[in-house]
Amino acid sequence: PRTRTAKTTATTTTTTTASTAPAAATAAPENGGVKRAAPSPEAKKEVAPLDVSKLIFVQVDLSQPLGIGFDDSCVAEKLAPGKQGANLGIPKGAFIRYLAGRPLPASTKRLAQRMQRAKDRGLKEITLGFELPTFAVMFDERPFGFSFEWDESLRRFVVSFSRGAAEDQNVVVGCLLTSIEGDGLDALSKQEVQVKLKQATLPVRIEFSAPRPPTITTMAMGTAQVLSDSEAEPEVTEPAAKRSRPPAAEAEVPVARSLPGAVLQWSRPSQVRVDLSKPMGIFFDKECRVEKVGPGSQADTLGVQPGSQVCAVGGRPLRPAPLTAKMVKRIQRAKKKGRTSITLSFESRSVSTVCSSRPFPFSAELDATRGLFLLKEVSEDFAASAGLAPGAAVACVGGLEPANLSEKDFARVLEGVELPCEFSFQLSPFGDQAALAEPEISESEGEQ
């Protein structure tokens, strides 16, 4: 999470109001042993690496004012009531990280340049991605006054109940529980987080992310028109009115492009329902990764792929290690309870390989529906060595996601990339990628 001084409002780890003085962060607690945590001097300059999965995307109408006042680092300080930003649900303290199809540096000047560039090209709308504000609370006594649950669709711990001192510090239902004393929680089970909270030495610093605003509606990343990664970021050297604009007719011609974050959506866990009365036909390693699928087996029929890894059983996350032993025990308990089937969630495999010469041993074409470049043809040697087949998605070229590229843009990228070049591919999903509406097993079954 990005930490800023008290002046940067709700994105800070100090306070949720721009008017609160830094000294208030270290004042004696007056709310049942809870106070805002003051950031360290080093943390004030820290900007976390971009994680697209944590961004919220909205579609901006370029013909209307955005109505947001930013600080120098793209953090929303003021929102004009009734204007586009407020109507879209962008909250005060939001940190803009993605715009017009590319990651955005922490520079409001660059944000203005990119929006002007989009207008100059005749685009009517672009996609904007932002991080929700984060804040930290220092708890001096127990109980902390909140509870949480694991949300499989968000793959985050979400506050499910809040009262008293925690609620007074804006820890409300829907907030994401992100860290305890600076330690991330994504790799822990709920039981482990509970133990960590119980054993933490007081005072303990707990960090949260603000809940998703209710006015935000879910949209696919990159559904709006965007700028190509192949275009240079322009510098504003003259008034926008003097810049040449492309003919209106050209701006109206739709061009199919890949979508930012589409690979992330493509890599979401695949759900398959296993018949417990039949052998699965899968050989696992100790970490529940599929080593081999028996020909003609149940798993083969379901499309399970070697290299994929079980991440949940019955809708409950499978962690920590040893994963395979936990999975076997969970399936055995399901059988004893008389269950005839259970859902396994698999994380699909990604493949990285280096190509040192042209022509590359594969070809790819744009799937405009999914917004991905998928392998069309693969040489036999390359398929055998890398374990790839037609249908896999091109995830990275030289470390960059091929987002917002037309097929011509993508061809230029392949022609101009320096050799040797590392390519990453995401194998195609199988089964159903929709998360279970309700876990099939109880929490106690999942944690035993």
Side-chain angles (χ1 to χ4, degrees):
R2 187 168 180 270
T3 308
R4 299 181 55 78
T5 65
K7 188 177 180 180
T8 56
T9 71
T11 53
T12 70
T13 58
T14 58
T15 179
T16 55
T17 60
S19 61
T20 303
T26 57
E30 299 177 356
N31 298 303
V34 182
K35 60 184 178 182
R36 290 287 178 177
S40 64
E42 296 81 4
K44 293 179 182 179
K45 298 181 181 180
E46 181 181 340
V47 177
L50 178 61
D51 183 347
V52 179
S53 67
K54 295 182 179 180
L55 299 185
I56 293 178
F57 289 84
V58 294
Q59 189 169 308
V60 174
D61 183 350
L62 293 177
S63 68
Q64 301 294 326
L66 191 54
I68 301 179
F70 294 98
D71 69 1
D72 293 338
S73 302
C74 290
V75 175
E77 287 190 324
K78 298 179 180 179
L79 285 95
K83 297 298 183 181
Q84 184 174 193
N87 293 338
L88 287 172
I90 300 174
K92 185 177 180 180
F95 180 22
I96 311 302
R97 302 293 306 269
Y98 215 91
L99 183 69
R102 296 197 302 275
L104 183 70
S107 168
T108 300
K109 179 180 178 182
R110 295 289 292 274
L111 182 150
Q113 290 174 351
R114 198 172 294 183
M115 292 191 72
Q116 186 59 55
R117 176 62 171 167
K119 292 178 181 179
D120 291 347
R121 283 200 53 198
L123 299 182
K124 296 180 178 180
E125 53 192 23
I126 55 174
T127 300
L128 179 150
F130 65 90
E131 287 180 354
L132 290 170
T134 61
F135 62 96
V137 177
M138 192 73 77
F139 289 86
D140 288 335
E141 61 183 36
R142 294 183 173 87
F144 299 142
F146 70 90
S147 59
F148 59 92
E149 298 290 342
W150 175 261
D151 188 310
E152 184 63 30
S153 62
L154 296 175
R155 300 189 68 77
R156 296 288 188 277
F157 289 107
V158 180
V159 173
S160 57
F161 173 81
S162 178
R163 68 178 178 184
E167 187 176 23
D168 291 341
Q169 293 298 319
N170 295 326
V171 179
V172 298
V173 173
C175 282
L176 304 183
L177 177 61
T178 59
S179 71
I180 301 172
E181 290 294 348
D183 296 331
L185 309 176
D186 291 348
L188 303 182
S189 67
K190 179 183 176 182
Q191 186 178 32
E192 289 173 319
V193 176
Q194 290 173 330
V195 171
K196 194 174 183 70
L197 288 171
K198 184 177 181 180
Q199 296 178 347
T201 302
L202 298 179
V204 57
R205 178 191 177 97
I206 302 177
E207 191 160 311
F208 302 87
S209 178
R212 186 188 187 98
T215 53
I216 291 284
T217 56
T218 302
M219 66 168 288
M221 289 179 280
T223 52
Q225 285 184 296
V226 288
L227 301 180
S228 167
D229 279 340
S230 62
E231 295 181 280
E233 191 79 32
E235 292 292 334
V236 178
T237 57
E238 59 179 348
K242 295 183 179 180
R243 296 187 192 164
S244 60
R245 293 177 179 268
E250 292 184 15
E252 296 296 329
V253 177
V255 177
R257 296 183 183 276
S258 54
L259 304 181
V263 173
L264 182 68
Q265 301 293 330
W266 183 256
S267 62
R268 290 174 58 191
S270 300
Q271 323 285 345
V272 296
R273 194 161 188 81
V274 176
D275 185 344
L276 296 180
S277 67
K278 302 177 182 178
M280 283 192 289
I282 303 177
F283 296 89
F284 293 98
D285 65 10
K286 292 182 179 180
E287 298 305 316
C288 243
R289 189 170 284 104
V290 178
E291 291 186 330
K292 183 180 178 181
V293 177
S297 65
Q298 181 179 185
D300 189 26
T301 303
L302 292 170
V304 177
Q305 301 168 352
S308 55
Q309 184 179 27
V310 177
C311 60
V313 177
R316 297 287 180 185
L318 193 65
R319 61 184 191 279
L323 301 183
T324 300
K326 289 182 178 293
M327 179 193 69
V328 172
K329 289 181 180 180
R330 200 173 290 183
I331 291 176
Q332 288 174 344
R333 287 197 298 270
K335 289 181 178 180
K336 289 180 181 179
K337 288 182 174 291
R339 300 183 186 277
T340 58
S341 62
I342 199 167
T343 299
L344 300 184
S345 302
F346 290 84
E347 290 182 344
S348 58
R349 182 168 63 98
S350 60
V351 175
S352 294
T353 187
V354 175
C355 294
S356 302
S357 61
R358 293 184 176 86
F360 297 125
F362 63 86
S363 64
E365 62 181 0
L366 177 62
D367 184 323
T369 302
R370 296 184 174 92
L372 291 163
F373 285 98
L374 304 181
L375 293 184
K376 182 180 180 182
E377 297 178 349
V378 182
S379 71
E380 291 184 7
D381 291 342
F382 187 62
S385 62
L388 290 168
V394 182
C396 282
V397 179
L400 298 175
E401 179 188 351
N404 303 309
L405 302 182
S406 66
E407 289 195 328
K408 288 184 178 180
D409 291 331
F410 185 63
R412 286 196 292 266
V413 169
L414 295 182
E415 290 172 2
V417 70
E418 293 185 6
L419 299 179
C421 177
E422 182 177 8
F423 290 88
S424 295
F425 303 90
Q426 186 71 41
L427 270 61
S428 57
F430 52 90
D432 185 3
Q433 285 191 285
L436 295 177
E438 294 287 342
E440 297 173 341
I441 60 177
S442 66
E443 185 176 339
S444 60
E445 287 181 278
E447 297 297 341
Q448 289 176 359

